[in-house]
Amino acid sequence: MKPDAGSTRTVVSRWDGGMRAVATAGPFEIVVDEPPSSGGTDTGPQPTDLFLASVATCFTLAMAYAARKRRVALPGLRVDAVGTYEGLSFTQIEVLVYSDAPEGVVENLIPAAERVCYVTNTLRGELTVRISARAEPTQP
């Protein structure tokens, strides 16, 4: 399903003390934490792991969608997203697609999956990130 042009999604994150935050995405809560070596308690994945999870899961679903549209089976479908750090950011993300289907079948589906994967398309596009402070409305 394609979202309407200009539609938005919101995920809310609240600090939970230390180096831990809890994000609410729809009805789901996602605990995010840092390892003890970074001052966290290791009670959830790191933010960068969630970022890579977004890449991997979106491309997994895009591959499944492309396969279903073409009536192709992809047994054992798995996608790995491998990020290479340089300083405070990733300089490269490698997406590796595995399946028990013949390699040629998988390779032929990749271009179709690339067209419909929201996360990798966002990363390849011109993304604007704006950060601003807002005062929380006072509760009556």
Side-chain angles (χ1 to χ4, degrees):
M1 185 166 105
K2 198 173 187 180
D4 297 330
S7 67
T8 62
R9 305 255 329 149
T10 301
V11 173
V12 177
S13 176
R14 74 177 190 282
W15 180 51
D16 205 26
M19 292 301 292
R20 178 181 154 116
V22 179
T24 302
F28 306 102
E29 282 198 340
I30 305 162
V31 173
V32 181
D33 200 356
E34 293 285 346
S37 61
S38 297
T41 57
D42 212 15
T43 58
Q46 299 174 59
T48 50
D49 288 345
L50 286 179
F51 176 75
L52 293 173
S54 292
V55 171
T57 57
C58 192
F59 207 79
T60 299
L61 298 177
M63 285 293 293
Y65 175 82
R68 185 179 69 228
K69 293 283 276 185
R70 287 157 183 76
R71 294 185 170 93
V72 173
L74 282 180
L77 175 62
R78 185 184 103 213
V79 175
D80 295 359
V82 181
T84 302
Y85 283 112
E86 188 169 308
L88 295 176
S89 65
F90 289 117
T91 56
Q92 174 180 305
I93 296 173
E94 185 175 13
V95 178
L96 306 166
V97 182
Y98 300 90
S99 174
D100 295 332
E103 191 172 312
V105 170
V106 176
E107 285 177 353
N108 287 336
L109 290 171
I110 288 174
E114 286 180 302
R115 285 191 294 275
V116 298
C117 179
Y118 288 85
V119 174
T120 57
N121 283 324
T122 298
L123 293 173
R124 285 192 193 106
E126 294 192 26
L127 174 66
T128 301
V129 177
R130 287 184 222 138
I131 301 173
S132 60
R134 305 249 170 118
E136 186 69 36
T138 346
Q139 300 295 325

